[in-house]
């Protein structure tokens, strides 16, 4: 089995390939092409050629195409799930019952949003002239997606970009390309050739795509390191950038919570997708009055989670080794887990660890694994200081029965998302994006659509 590029409406191979490994078994099951400058250029040129006609379609035409794509994704959910699971090890029911329905909903949201872009009213802002604003497509968009949610992150990128009238060249992660290629092949049934292209490959492929002179914008979901590299490369040709980068979500637990219920909820939000989620609830800050009780409840709830049944493996041996290294270098107390689970695949035991200092590596660096760290605080001010005391600023949550406290603290948390008494829920209508080292720009919502447009002022003299 060889997974190939999808360029200008057809499958396109390349000379080089890399192994595809099932993370649940650690065994190679196929190969994916590695695109070089020639394949990247072909994809970009196809998108460039398709842009004039696609950008001139009406919002209604683009809406209809996206609605049909959502229907096709729904009709082919089983095949898409097979592709996603083979390369990620995800739990099948989670992909079919949660992730694909979210993807179809998000495509349908942007289909409708394409017809609802607002702007300032036309008027005579200077005597003798009428002004109005146009929202226009930006152009060819280079998009790079990560390995933790290959299909969903592809949808988050292509749906608003296409809805706004742009054309796309998408590069998925080299370990998880198949669902993106399958999505592009479905889209080819309802979109003109060249509107949505997929090139596969490694970091060099991504670098060639970002540095290509044609794309007007680069959209990346990935690590902070990758975001810095992309922003630096894009600056050479003054490309717009849209960066959704790493998270390190604080979870503030106060002494008025139902301890058992809160622990269950936090463990579920921490270990979803094996903790490989930029918003994972893995950095728990708990009031000193209930610290020991809460650690015990977290440990009980975490120990009940079964790798392979409740959550899947880490993406690769490299990722597993990285997390084991973080744990081995810590001198804090491990209450459960901390080791590889089983002899096959890249599973990690569900882990709870406490007694960490704010400058510890496990606090400052996103683990991206089924690992919960616990720190103690004694006051609201200390909780906020600990929560905000990391470079990342994507997501956070507050757990308390005191609605006044919750309302006050949401304003003080320096994160793009704040949940109260829940964590990790996503609505298509609400923006998703962070501050600081977590990047800038918004996915989902009307803000996500607007990010893929440019604004033009038109003034007509009477």
């Amino acid at each position: 089995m060889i997974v190939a590029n999808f360029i200008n409406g057809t499958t396109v191979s390349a000379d080089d390939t890399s192994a595809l490994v099932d993370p649940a078994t650690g065994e190679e099951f196929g190969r994916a092409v590695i695109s070089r400058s020639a394949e990247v250029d072909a994809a970009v040129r196809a998108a460039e050629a398709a842009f004039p006609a696609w950008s001139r379609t009406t919002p209604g035409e683009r809406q209809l195409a996206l609605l049909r794509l959502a229907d096709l994704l729904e009709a082919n959910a089983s095949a898409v799930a097979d592709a996603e699971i083979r390369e990620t090890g995800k739990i099948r029911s989670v992909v079919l019952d949660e992730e694909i329905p979210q993807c179809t909903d998000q495509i349908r949201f942007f289909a409708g949003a394409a017809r609802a872009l607002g702007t300032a009213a036309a008027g005579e802002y200077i005597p003798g002239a009428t002004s109005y604003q146009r929202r226009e497509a930006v152009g060819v968009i280079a998009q790079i997606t990560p390995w933790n949610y290959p299909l969903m992150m592809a949808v988050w990128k292509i749906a608003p970009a296409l809805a706004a009238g742009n054309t796309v060249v998408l590069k998925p992660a080299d370990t998880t390309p198949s669902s993106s290629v399958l999505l592009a092949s479905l889209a080819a049934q309802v979109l003109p050739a060249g509107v949505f292209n997929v090139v596969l490959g490694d970091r060099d492929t991504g670098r060639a795509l970002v540095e290509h002179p044609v794309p007007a914008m680069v959209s990346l979901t990935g690590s902070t390191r990758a975001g810095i590299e992309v922003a630096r490369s894009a600056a050479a040709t003054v490309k717009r950038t849209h960066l959704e980068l790493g998270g390190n979500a604080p979870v503030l637990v106060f002494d008025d919570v139902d301890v058992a219920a809160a622990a269950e909820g936090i463990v579920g939000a921490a270990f979803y997708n094996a903790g490989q989620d930029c918003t994972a609830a893995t950095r728990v800050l708990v009031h000193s009055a209930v610290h020991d009780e809460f650690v015990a409840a977290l440990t009980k709830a975490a120990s009940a989670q079964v790798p392979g049944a409740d959550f899947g493996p880490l993406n690769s041996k490299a990722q597993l080794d990285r997390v084991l290294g973080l744990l081995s270098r810590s001198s804090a107390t491990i209450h459960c887990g901390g080791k590889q689970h089983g002899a096959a695949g890249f599973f990690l035991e569900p882990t709870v660890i406490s007694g960490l200092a704010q400058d510890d590596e496990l606090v400052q660096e996103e683990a991206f694994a089924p690992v919960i760290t616990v720190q103690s605080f004694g006051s609201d001010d200390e909780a906020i200081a600990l929560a905000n005391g990391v470079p990342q600023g994507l997501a956070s949550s507050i757990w308390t029965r005191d609605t006044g406290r919750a309302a006050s603290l949401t304003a003080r948390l320096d994160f793009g998302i704040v949940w109260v008494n829940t964590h990790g829920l996503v609505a298509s209508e609400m923006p998703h994006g962070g501050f600081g080292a977590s990047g800038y720009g918004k996915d989902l919502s009307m803000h996500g659509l607007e990010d893929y447009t440019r604004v033009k002022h038109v003034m007509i003299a009477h």
Side-chain angles (χ1 to χ4, degrees):
M1 167 189 164
I2 297 180
V3 183
N5 299 315
F6 197 85
I7 299 173
N8 207 28
T10 189
T11 299
V12 176
S13 191
D15 293 334
D16 296 334
T17 63
S18 62
L20 293 174
V21 176
D22 182 344
T25 64
E27 296 178 357
E28 180 178 333
F29 67 86
R31 304 197 62 87
V33 303
I34 301 176
S35 301
R36 299 305 181 199
S37 58
E39 291 81 24
V40 170
D41 184 66
V44 170
R45 297 301 176 184
E48 182 183 34
F51 175 73
W54 179 249
S55 64
R56 288 193 298 268
T57 57
T58 66
E61 291 172 311
R62 297 195 294 273
Q63 178 192 42
L64 183 58
L66 287 172
L67 289 174
R68 288 173 173 167
L69 175 58
D71 291 344
L72 284 169
L73 178 56
E74 209 165 53
N76 292 273
S78 182
V80 174
D82 288 342
E84 186 90 348
I85 292 163
R86 186 172 55 238
E87 294 171 355
T88 64
K90 292 175 184 278
I91 306 302
R92 185 175 182 82
S93 61
V94 172
V95 176
L96 283 172
D97 299 339
E98 298 180 32
E99 294 187 11
I100 291 178
Q102 285 188 51
C103 289
T104 56
D105 180 73
Q106 289 150 4
I107 294 171
R108 288 170 178 140
F109 169 80
F110 283 114
R115 303 182 72 166
L117 274 170
T119 188
E124 289 68 51
Y125 299 95
I126 292 178
T130 296
S131 287
Y132 65 91
Q133 297 178 28
R134 291 176 53 88
R135 275 203 177 271
E136 301 177 341
V138 176
V140 176
I141 312 294
Q143 301 184 323
I144 301 173
T145 52
W147 43 256
N148 57 333
Y149 292 103
L151 176 68
M152 190 175 295
M153 294 301 97
V155 166
W156 284 24
K157 297 240 176 283
I158 69 153
L162 297 178
N166 302 284
T167 54
V168 167
V169 180
L170 175 77
K171 193 203 86 67
D174 55 350
T175 58
T176 56
S178 294
S179 59
S180 297
V181 173
L182 185 49
L183 180 66
S185 69
L186 294 174
Q189 300 180 43
V190 296
L191 297 174
V195 169
F196 175 20
N197 310 274
V198 177
V199 290
L200 311 184
D202 52 20
R203 289 182 182 178
D204 289 340
T205 309
R207 191 172 294 109
L209 179 58
V210 172
E211 294 176 353
H212 197 286
V214 167
M217 175 177 172
V218 181
S219 179
L220 165 80
T221 296
S223 67
T224 299
R225 177 206 54 76
I228 292 169
E229 183 176 341
V230 163
R232 184 181 293 120
S233 296
T237 47
V238 201
K239 290 180 173 69
R240 289 173 58 173
T241 53
H242 178 283
L243 306 175
E244 200 275 90
L245 309 178
N248 196 359
V251 180
L252 282 62
V253 180
F254 289 87
D255 56 355
D256 59 349
V257 299
D258 179 324
V259 168
E264 286 281 352
I266 291 167
V267 164
F271 293 166
Y272 187 89
N273 202 39
Q276 297 172 123
D277 188 316
C278 293
T279 66
T282 54
R283 189 163 62 95
V284 173
L285 311 174
V286 60
H287 195 282
S288 56
V290 293
H291 175 271
D292 292 350
E293 181 184 1
F294 202 79
V295 168
L298 281 176
T299 302
K300 180 180 178 181
S303 298
Q305 295 275 307
V306 180
D310 295 306
F311 59 83
L314 300 186
N315 176 254
S316 64
K317 186 177 186 302
Q319 173 65 359
L320 176 62
D321 289 344
R322 173 187 161 274
V323 176
L324 290 173
L326 286 171
L327 293 169
S328 70
R329 291 190 294 274
S330 175
S331 58
T333 302
I334 296 178
H335 298 273
C336 65
K339 300 187 296 296
Q340 183 174 357
H341 173 82
F346 312 129
F347 293 93
L348 184 74
E349 294 176 347
T351 301
V352 175
I353 182 169
S354 73
L356 300 110
Q358 184 66 10
D359 60 356
D360 282 355
E361 189 179 22
L362 269 169
V363 171
Q364 294 295 316
E365 185 172 338
E366 182 182 24
F368 227 56
V371 176
I372 295 175
T373 64
V374 186
Q375 296 170 267
S376 178
F377 66 83
S379 67
D380 290 8
D381 288 345
E382 186 181 5
I384 292 297
L386 292 172
N388 290 341
V390 296
Q392 307 89 348
L394 179 56
S396 58
S397 65
I398 301 167
W399 298 70
T400 180
R401 291 172 173 160
D402 186 335
T403 55
R405 169 188 279 153
S408 172
L409 295 185
T410 56
R412 299 175 64 189
L413 284 167
D414 196 18
F415 297 83
I417 307 162
V418 184
W419 290 285
V420 177
N421 294 327
T422 188
H423 194 108
L425 299 181
V426 172
S428 298
E429 296 84 356
M430 291 293 111
H432 182 102
F435 311 141
S438 290
Y440 46 81
K442 299 297 183 185
D443 291 315
L444 304 179
S445 79
M446 291 301 295
H447 297 285
L449 180 58
E450 290 169 357
D451 278 359
Y452 287 98
T453 66
R454 64 185 189 183
V455 178
K456 178 183 290 181
H457 169 217
V458 178
M459 180 182 284
I460 303 173
H462 296 170

